[in-house]
Amino acid sequence: MAAILMMEDDVVFAFHMSQTLTRAGYEVTWARNAPDALDHLERAKFDLLLTDIYVRENGRYLPEGGILLIHRVRSADRSSGLSSSYAALPIIAMSLG
């Protein structure tokens, strides 16, 4: 079973996407923001990163959204706390608007 890390700030969308992917046979871990996603990446192995580009909290967009997460994953090395194998992790970036 492929493991997907999904970073999404919209709880309703995250729930429905997670349910859909789980029914399709994937193991889904949800992170609400980039720091949470990076924490999951440090502790577990994933086959795909599905990330929102724009992350909001309390009505404002956070600078640590999907673009920063993608940058950190692509530049993964031992100093970042991420395995260098994540530098080749498939990433799907999305936005609801």
Side-chain angles (χ1 to χ4, degrees):
M1 174 182 326
I4 297 174
L5 174 60
M6 176 176 57
M7 186 193 70
E8 172 58 56
D9 61 318
D10 185 297
V11 178
V12 175
F13 181 77
F15 173 78
H16 290 291
M17 180 66 85
S18 180
Q19 292 294 316
T20 300
L21 292 169
T22 299
R23 285 189 199 116
Y26 297 98
E27 180 181 329
V28 180
T29 300
W30 175 54
R32 190 172 181 124
N33 55 43
D36 288 346
L38 289 167
D39 186 51
H40 285 294
L41 287 167
E42 289 172 4
R43 293 183 289 127
K45 174 77 174 122
F46 294 95
D47 302 299
L48 174 71
L49 172 61
L50 180 61
T51 182
D52 192 354
I53 294 174
Y54 303 108
V55 177
R56 290 183 305 178
E57 192 170 285
N58 299 322
R60 346 181 343 238
Y61 286 104
L62 299 175
E64 59 270 8
I67 300 297
L68 177 64
L69 178 60
I70 292 167
H71 174 73
R72 292 255 175 95
V73 169
R74 284 293 176 247
S75 60
D77 61 22
R78 293 178 200 270
S79 65
S80 70
L82 296 178
S83 166
S84 61
S85 66
Y86 279 129
L89 179 69
I91 298 173
I92 297 174
M94 60 186 176
S95 179
L96 292 176

